[in-house]
Amino acid sequence: MSAASGKRLGKVLVQSGLITPEQLEEALAQDSGLSLPAALSSLGYADDVKIAQEVARAMGLVYVDIGTFDIDANAATSLSSDMAKRYTILPIKVQDGELVVAMADPANIFAIDDLRIVTGYEIRPVVAAESELLSAIERFSANQQNVDDMVGNLEESVTVSADDDDSDISDETAPVAKLMNVIITEAIRQGAGDVYIEPLEKEMRVRFRIDGVCQEVFKSPKRMHRQLISRLKINSGMDISEKRVPQDGRFGVVLDGKAIDFRVAVLPLVFGELAVLRLLRRDSIMMSLEDLGFLEQPLERLLKALALPYGAILVTGPTGSGKSTTLYAAINRTNDITTNLITVEDPVEYRLAGLSQVHVNEKAGLTFAAALRSILRQDPDTVMIGEIRDKETGTIAIEAALTGHLVLSTLHTNDAPSAVTRLTEMGIEPFLTASAITCVLAQRLARRLCKECKEEYTPEESALQRIGFPFEPGRPPRLFRAKGCKKCNNIGYKGRMGIHEVLTMSETLERMTVENATSDELSRQAIAEGMKTLKEDGFAKILLGQTSIEEILRVVV
């Protein structure tokens, strides 16, 4: 900030009464290279948030809390980082044909004039605290620099000749290798669960799925896509020359001392090959059941079933609902030196030392059913089956549970009671299902509210009644909702937890199963016997301030 600009800003602050003329003179006399807000803050006369709020009030402008504002990335990156840092300004959105720009010093008319010329927009200044503004500028500059460097270098290396197109993809120093490393590193550090490298008609798009929600990271020229997919195939052990059929592979990396496995699936599309990378964090499988967000009653029911030396425990839910993580947490609970534990998976997502794991290979004839038949001759105490997909696998699993084995598996159903009727629909005799199943756990994953910025509020009673939320009339509960801050990237949520529904088989439920009762009838009886539904479990976690009504309605209702 220039001396003239500092004096203009200082005059506003003195006139507002925030500082005295003497304090302004002392701050301006500082020979530290600091801006006026930074100098005043270092002297203890006023912090930059108070300065920004007072400047906004005095000049009739809007104050913006950059830490919680949803900044438009396209607007933010429309200005060079050099110019943003020189004037301490950041475009935050385009509205009504104007560029809204956050400024620490809106009295700097030279910055506004230069910005109007560079962008071609009329400028609408708003005021933000200097420290928060500098942090946001640095964040967007660093992200854009990483992408620009990789994209620029790769575009230079892409040749027109098809013979040379994949010539340097195996070179660790090649730009395509560096871009792959940037994508992988950012995915890990941002906590992504999946990475999507997608071919569009004229460009390539990279998206991360963070806490169950997809977010676009960047787009780049379409010419980059072929080399990037080829590089990924080399890393994952796929056939680089085959582009007409789906392929699967995997690779592993170590970042910041943590090992992460990537399971890769490539699928041919109209505009090229789609690559999806599933991040498998090895530390996540060492979680205990207590770490997964269980409430006391559902956890007690599940632990009681795990303590039995026999029976089938099924985990149900849609793809991506954390079923595998829960199964491994259950294995951690039962696995010790005195037990023989074998798993059958397709694919083996997490490779654990000291655990016998079978990878299904249907092309070679090693199906779930074939593997199970062989496993039962190995005298296991506990068997984990990745998924019950058909009658043959289900029958063997149920019979194993009836002959003294503890069987853990997954099934795709919407709730716990539906798992019982789903097995009957597969062709498994109801009397076998009724005798074998001891417990069914249905689950979803909901995002946790950010602890730093979650906002307390009192909801309207009509809204609570509409969704069936329990409360005493005239006394609606105080709940929390998402707000957004720097810690959660202005999303309002950070991390996920399980929403659970645990059904334990009773004599009544066994009899109803044998009599081919519907899932609705089983559900009503299970609720009468104390089962908390997914919706009730979610509502309980809303009351605990762990998540929001909007999130539970998104994943459960």
Side-chain angles (χ1 to χ4, degrees):
M1 189 178 293
S2 66
S5 177
K7 288 180 180 178
R8 286 195 300 271
L9 182 61
K11 186 177 180 181
V12 171
L13 297 175
V14 170
Q15 289 175 344
S16 70
L18 185 64
I19 59 173
T20 65
E22 293 75 22
Q23 290 172 336
L24 173 62
E25 288 299 323
E26 184 180 354
L28 291 174
Q30 292 283 311
D31 190 23
S32 58
L34 296 175
S35 65
L36 178 61
L40 289 170
S41 180
S42 68
L43 290 169
Y45 294 147
D47 66 68
D48 60 350
V49 172
K50 284 283 188 184
I51 292 171
Q53 291 173 337
E54 193 56 46
V55 168
R57 188 196 64 78
M59 299 183 67
L61 298 175
V62 174
Y63 167 76
V64 172
D65 183 353
I66 288 293
T68 61
F69 192 85
D70 185 13
I71 299 173
D72 183 341
N74 291 327
T77 54
S78 65
L79 187 67
S80 71
S81 59
D82 288 340
M83 188 173 182
K85 292 175 182 177
R86 181 166 73 250
Y87 289 129
T88 316
I89 56 178
L90 183 68
I92 57 175
K93 66 177 177 178
V94 177
Q95 188 174 47
D96 300 329
E98 295 180 324
L99 187 64
V100 181
V101 181
M103 308 180 67
D105 178 15
N108 190 340
I109 57 175
F110 300 108
I112 294 174
D113 287 343
D114 285 354
L115 195 55
R116 185 182 295 113
I117 293 170
V118 169
T119 64
Y121 281 101
E122 283 300 315
I123 306 302
R124 184 192 304 175
V126 296
V127 189
E130 184 180 66
S131 60
E132 293 185 356
L133 194 52
L134 287 171
S135 177
I137 291 170
E138 193 62 40
R139 184 172 72 252
F140 278 100
S141 297
N143 290 345
Q144 191 61 31
Q145 188 62 46
N146 280 340
V147 173
D148 285 348
D149 287 348
M150 295 301 103
V151 171
N153 290 340
L154 190 56
E155 282 192 89
E156 292 174 9
S157 73
V158 174
T159 62
V160 177
S161 168
D163 293 335
D164 297 334
D165 193 48
D166 297 331
S167 59
D168 65 347
I169 54 175
S170 60
D171 183 358
E172 292 296 330
T173 63
V176 66
K178 294 179 180 177
L179 178 59
M180 191 75 253
N181 290 340
V182 167
I183 293 172
I184 289 171
T185 301
E186 285 302 308
I188 295 171
R189 288 183 172 160
Q190 291 188 35
D194 299 283
V195 177
Y196 300 86
I197 301 175
E198 303 167 286
L200 306 179
E201 184 176 5
K202 297 181 179 179
E203 57 192 355
M204 178 187 76
R205 178 174 68 181
V206 176
R207 291 190 296 166
F208 293 165
R209 184 182 292 277
I210 301 175
D211 291 338
V213 178
C214 286
Q215 301 176 22
E216 185 176 296
V217 182
F218 71 90
K219 290 181 179 178
S220 66
K222 182 68 175 288
R223 290 178 296 170
M224 298 174 56
H225 179 257
R226 182 176 174 183
Q227 283 199 339
L228 197 57
I229 294 297
S230 295
R231 172 72 191 186
L232 188 59
K233 287 182 176 179
I234 288 176
N235 283 357
S236 308
M238 300 182 196
D239 183 354
I240 191 174
S241 64
E242 182 56 76
K243 298 177 172 63
R244 299 166 298 174
V245 298
Q247 296 189 68
D248 297 307
R250 66 188 300 148
F251 65 92
V253 301
V254 177
L255 182 67
D256 300 332
K258 295 182 179 179
I260 297 96
D261 290 329
F262 284 79
R263 196 179 76 202
V264 185
V266 174
L267 177 69
L269 302 181
V270 174
F271 297 119
E273 292 177 286
L274 164 67
V276 180
L277 290 70
R278 168 66 59 89
L279 279 72
L280 305 172
R281 293 170 171 81
R282 296 180 192 174
D283 54 353
S284 68
I285 59 172
M286 301 312 294
M287 297 174 69
S288 67
L289 289 169
E290 288 80 2
D291 296 329
L292 300 180
F294 278 92
L295 295 178
E296 184 177 352
Q297 191 247 31
L299 179 60
E300 184 180 337
R301 286 179 155 221
L302 180 58
L303 292 179
K304 186 176 180 180
L306 283 169
L308 297 173
Y310 58 86
I313 298 175
L314 302 180
V315 182
T316 78
T319 301
S321 59
K323 297 187 298 295
S324 295
T325 300
T326 300
L327 279 184
Y328 279 109
I331 285 175
N332 290 336
R333 190 87 185 191
T334 61
N335 189 25
D336 59 53
I337 197 68
T338 64
T339 61
N340 181 19
L341 199 157
I342 305 177
T343 76
V344 189
E345 304 168 72
D346 182 22
V348 174
E349 292 190 341
Y350 299 99
R351 296 171 182 175
L352 298 177
L355 189 65
S356 301
Q357 295 175 278
V358 178
H359 184 102
V360 168
N361 186 345
E362 294 192 358
K363 290 181 180 179
L366 184 59
T367 62
F368 272 109
L372 273 174
R373 288 193 196 94
S374 179
I375 282 174
L376 294 178
R377 292 193 289 270
Q378 307 295 323
D379 191 27
D381 297 294
T382 304
V383 179
M384 189 192 94
I385 308 167
E387 181 183 350
I388 295 177
R389 297 178 177 176
D390 50 44
K391 177 183 177 181
E392 190 176 15
T393 304
T395 300
I396 298 172
I398 292 298
E399 289 176 350
L402 289 171
T403 54
H405 303 88
L406 179 61
V407 177
L408 309 175
S409 189
T410 69
L411 201 61
H412 285 277
T413 62
N414 289 328
D415 56 22
S418 296
V420 178
T421 55
R422 177 76 181 107
L423 293 175
T424 302
E425 291 167 3
M426 283 184 177
I428 299 170
E429 293 293 342
F431 70 89
L432 293 177
T433 300
S435 301
I437 291 181
T438 56
C439 177
V440 182
L441 163 66
Q443 70 176 50
R444 300 288 190 277
L445 288 179
R447 293 179 292 175
R448 289 182 182 272
L449 285 169
C450 174
K451 295 179 181 179
E452 301 295 328
C453 67
K454 64 181 182 180
E455 183 178 58
E456 191 175 10
Y457 75 109
T458 302
E460 294 182 4
E461 291 191 22
S462 59
L464 296 177
Q465 290 170 348
R466 193 162 53 247
I467 63 173
F469 196 95
F471 72 99
E472 184 180 336
R475 300 183 62 183
R478 296 283 291 172
L479 305 180
F480 290 88
R481 60 189 171 194
K483 183 180 180 183
C485 66
K486 290 184 287 186
K487 294 289 182 66
C488 61
N489 290 325
N490 295 315
I491 296 172
Y493 299 93
K494 193 172 182 64
R496 289 193 289 178
M497 63 181 176
I499 306 298
H500 305 102
E501 175 179 290
V502 180
L503 177 150
T504 53
M505 291 297 282
S506 64
E507 290 184 7
T508 303
L509 288 171
E510 286 181 20
R511 186 179 65 255
M512 292 175 68
T513 300
V514 173
E515 294 170 353
N516 286 316
T518 66
S519 60
D520 287 340
E521 291 170 339
L522 292 172
S523 180
R524 284 193 291 271
Q525 179 60 31
I527 291 170
E529 294 178 3
M531 181 186 79
K532 301 296 183 185
T533 65
L534 286 167
K535 188 175 181 180
E536 289 172 335
D537 193 77
F539 285 169
K541 285 163 183 173
I542 291 171
L543 288 170
L544 292 173
Q546 297 175 355
T547 189
S548 67
I549 286 179
E550 293 78 12
E551 182 65 7
I552 293 301
L553 294 179
R554 182 181 73 87
V555 300
V556 173
V557 180

